[in-house]
Every structure is written in structure tokens, then in C-alpha cells.
């Protein structure tokens, strides 16, 4: 339907699943996370159709118009409670898949419409590698060695924008993240995905992209991964702080909140203590080599990468 209409397609705010191929030329990237950023992103559109999702998921609160002036919104959802919670627009209750199929048959080719610009992917990297690495350098390295069938579980919330740029999701059921913003979900979720794959006879590596702050909330989950010899590669980006919470502190004009620095944690030693294979890396070459080795290790591996803090785009 999007191709017939030549319509931009955006991912949900704080994307927890990917339902549209993120390398498609009509993909415009995820929406923002606040009222203002979402409204700004939708400026210039006369009609917004939200299919199978909320209108919208706001986190955090930044005031603004719910929709740009002159923009109408139609939501299609099978959940009455989601329709009732929509702050703007009209909602149609029905099966989203059936609705898309019927609408796809009804709409005409948008021959007169200008094809929108695809999501910008600048892929800019420094000529001289940084020490410690930046998140884009980490994601660029992973993009060179990630198997196409691999599934990603992401709880590095401050770097999800970089993941969409470098590691777009193109296969159904191959990306998982938390929808709520709660911390500590990703490490055990990777275990659940790997166990689910094993239970249904699917063989594919699971890549857990976890921030060092998030990793501490539920680190004991890696013991289960090691006990079951699950094919998980955890890449822990070690920036020595809760970057996402520091970004919120700046947004709320409360800088200097105590307890957001995380010095003195030896993540690799902790992982070995829980029975995992674990390594520290410093360069992209080391990261690529250890990641490739982890894919054939026959057990769970934790790769710890020192990185520079990344301010989240809120």
C-alpha cells in the first residue's frame, strides 16, 4: 500500500518491534519520543494513518501540538482500549492485516505524488579510530560481521538511533526491544528469544546489544544462558554511566543527579563468574574478530566494548 501511495513509513516511537523493512526506500526512520518531536516529524503530511499501534507512545513529556496544523489522523487497531486512549484523530476497530489488504486493493497508484526522501544514513566515521570507540564505530563494525539471519535484542536505549542507521531490521521476528522504557529487560529477553528459537527448531545467533547500566539490572540471566549453552553474543557497551538517564536529567534541567556514574565494574569478570565466555576489546578489529569467534563458540559470549557516552535523542 505504501508503494502504491508513495507514502513515507515511520516506525513507532521507542520501537519495540520492526514491522516494516528498515532498508526500504520509503522507510523514514522511527518517530520521535515526545509530543513535540512526533508533531515536528509529521509536519508536511496531510494524512497520517496509524496501523496496529498507539497514537502515540510519548516518553518523555515535551509539550507541543499533538498533530501539525492541517494534518488529519486515522488509526486502525483491533484493540478498543488502544483506540480509546488515542489523543487525536479517528479510530477504526478491525483487524489491521485485513484492513491493509482491503485498502491496498482500493487505493490507486500515486503517479502524481513525489516519492519521499528515504531515511538519511550518513554512515560517517572518523578517519582515525577513537579510543574509546564511539557507538557508530561499534555498530559499523557489527554491520560487517553480523550474519543476516541473526536476531537483535537491544537495550542500549541511548544508541538505538545508531542501530537503525547501521543495522536495519529487514526480516520478520528478528528485532526485539522494550516498549515501556523500563531498564533491565534486554539481557533476560535475549535468553528467552534463544530458548524460544531452540524450542521451535530454529538455529540462528542472538545478539544482545546492552548498555553497561542496563546489564547490571538482571545480569544473573546470563547464568541461565550459560547453563543452556545458548548461542547468544552479548555486546556490552561500557560507557561507565547511565547515559539515557543523564540525557533525561539534562532534559528535565536537573544535571548532576547522583548515582548515574558506574565506575569500577569488571563486566567480563562478572560474566566469567556466571559461566560465560567473556572478552574485553578495545578496537573495531578486535570486536569483529571476537564477534566472529563467538558465533561458533557453542555457548554464550559476553564482549565488553569501552565506548564514549552517547546523548539520547529525546
Amino acid at each position: 500500500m505504501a508503494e502504491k501511495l508513495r507514502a513515507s513509513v515511520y516506525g513507532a516511537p521507542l520501537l519495540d518491534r520492526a514491522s516494516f523493512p528498515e532498508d526500504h526506500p520509503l522507510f523514514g526512520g522511527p518517530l520521535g519520543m515526545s509530543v513535540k518531536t512526533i508533531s515536528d516529524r509529521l509536519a508536511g503530511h496531510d494524512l497520517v494513518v496509524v496501523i496496529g499501534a498507539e497514537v502515540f507512545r510519548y516518553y518523555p513529556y515535551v509539550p507541543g501540538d499533538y498533530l501539525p496544523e492541517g494534518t488529519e489522523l486515522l488509526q486502525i487497531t483491533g484493540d478498543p482500549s488502544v483506540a480509546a486512549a488515542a489523543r487525536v484523530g479517528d479510530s477504526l476497530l478491525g483487524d489491521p492485516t485485513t484492513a491493509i489488504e482491503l485498502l491496498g486493493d482500493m487505493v490507486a497508484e500515486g503517479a502524481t505524488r513525489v516519492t519521499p526522501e528515504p531515511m538519511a544514513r550518513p554512515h560517517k566515521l572518523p578517519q582515525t579510530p577513537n579510543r574509546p570507540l564511539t557507538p557508530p564505530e561499534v555498530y559499523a563494525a557489527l554491520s560487517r560481521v553480523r550474519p543476516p539471519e541473526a536476531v537483535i535484542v537491544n537495550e542500549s536505549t541511548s544508541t538505538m538511533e545508531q542501530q537503525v542507521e547501521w543495522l536495519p531490521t529487514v526480516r520478520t521476528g528478528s528485532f526485539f526491544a522494550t516498549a515501556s522504557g523500563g531498564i533491565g529487560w534486554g539481557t533476560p529477553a535475549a535468553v528467552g528469544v534463544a530458548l524460544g528459537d531452540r524450542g521451535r527448531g530454529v538455529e540462528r545467533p542472538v545478539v544482545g546489544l546492552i548498555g553497561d547500566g542496563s546489564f547490571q539490572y538482571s545480569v544473573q540471566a546470563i547464568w541461565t544462558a550459560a547453563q543452556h549453552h545458548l548461542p547468544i553474543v552479548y555486546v556490552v557497551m561500557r560507557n561507565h554511566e547511565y547515559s539515557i538517564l543523564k540525557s533525561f536529567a539534562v532534559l528535565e534541567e536537573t544535571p548532576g543527579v547522583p548515582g548515574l556514574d558506574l565506575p569500577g565494574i569488571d563486566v567480563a569478570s562478572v560474566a566469567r563468574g556466571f559461566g560465560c565466555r567473556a572478552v574485553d576489546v578495545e578496537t573495531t578489529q578486535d570486536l569483529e574478530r571476537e564477534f566472529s569467534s563467538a558465533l561458533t563458540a557453542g555457548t554464550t559470549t559476553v564482549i565488553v566494548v569501552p565506548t564514549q557516552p552517547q546523548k539520547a535523542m529525546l
Side-chain angles (χ1 to χ4, degrees):
M1 186 175 71
E3 290 171 348
K4 290 177 72 174
L5 292 172
R6 298 185 184 179
S8 297
V9 179
Y10 298 103
L14 199 61
L15 194 66
D16 56 313
R17 300 289 185 274
S19 56
F20 190 85
E22 294 178 345
D23 62 346
H24 194 285
L26 290 175
F27 183 66
L31 290 173
M33 294 167 60
S34 68
V35 172
K36 184 179 187 306
T37 53
I38 291 175
S39 182
D40 290 348
R41 177 65 66 87
L42 296 178
H45 296 294
D46 56 355
L47 176 64
V48 176
V49 182
V50 180
I51 304 175
E54 299 165 74
V55 180
F56 285 102
R57 183 184 297 144
Y58 301 113
Y59 180 87
Y61 176 70
V62 179
D65 296 326
Y66 285 114
L67 284 177
E69 185 177 355
T71 301
E72 297 183 46
L73 184 143
L74 171 65
Q75 178 193 39
I76 302 173
T77 177
D79 188 336
S81 63
V82 171
R87 292 163 176 80
V88 292
D90 297 310
S91 297
L92 172 68
L93 282 174
D95 178 69
T97 301
T98 302
I100 293 173
E101 292 171 347
L102 293 173
L103 286 172
D105 292 336
M106 295 171 64
V107 298
E109 294 281 351
T112 60
R113 290 176 56 87
V114 176
T115 302
E117 291 293 325
M119 173 186 167
R121 299 180 190 273
H123 284 176
K124 290 184 179 180
L125 295 172
Q127 292 184 343
T128 303
N130 287 288
R131 287 287 190 96
L133 297 172
T134 61
E137 289 174 290
V138 172
Y139 282 116
L142 294 176
S143 73
R144 294 189 287 268
V145 292
R146 176 193 62 164
E149 73 277 9
V151 57
I152 287 179
V153 179
N154 187 311
E155 197 184 329
S156 176
T157 311
S158 62
T159 69
M160 291 185 74
E161 184 179 11
Q162 287 72 41
Q163 187 209 304
V164 175
E165 177 182 352
W166 290 96
L167 297 173
T169 302
V170 299
R171 298 190 179 198
T172 299
S174 61
F175 172 77
F176 299 88
T178 176
S180 68
I183 301 176
W185 178 91
T187 303
V191 175
V193 171
L195 286 172
D197 281 351
R198 180 175 291 178
R200 60 196 181 99
V202 173
E203 294 186 9
R204 58 177 180 171
V206 177
V207 182
L209 302 176
I210 315 293
D212 55 350
S214 298
F215 195 67
Q216 305 311 316
Y217 276 76
S218 46
V219 65
Q220 69 274 15
I222 66 175
W223 177 85
T224 303
Q227 291 295 307
H228 290 278
H229 302 287
L230 296 176
I232 304 174
V233 185
Y234 288 106
V235 179
V236 180
M237 284 178 266
R238 180 83 173 104
N239 58 24
H240 301 275
E241 67 177 36
Y242 286 118
S243 285
I244 187 64
L245 298 186
K246 284 194 173 183
S247 296
F248 277 118
V250 172
L251 176 70
E252 300 293 342
E253 299 180 359
T254 56
V257 175
L260 301 186
D261 294 309
L262 298 171
I265 299 176
D266 188 343
V267 175
S269 292
V270 171
R272 293 187 195 101
F274 279 111
C276 294
R277 178 178 176 269
V279 292
D280 288 289
V281 300
E282 298 284 343
T283 67
T284 55
Q285 293 85 353
D286 291 342
L287 173 58
E288 291 179 35
R289 184 188 66 251
E290 293 296 343
F291 187 91
S292 297
S293 297
L295 294 175
T296 58
T299 189
T300 299
T301 298
V302 176
I303 302 174
V304 185
V305 190
T307 56
Q308 298 180 22
Q310 175 75 41
K311 182 180 178 181
M313 300 299 292
L314 302 174

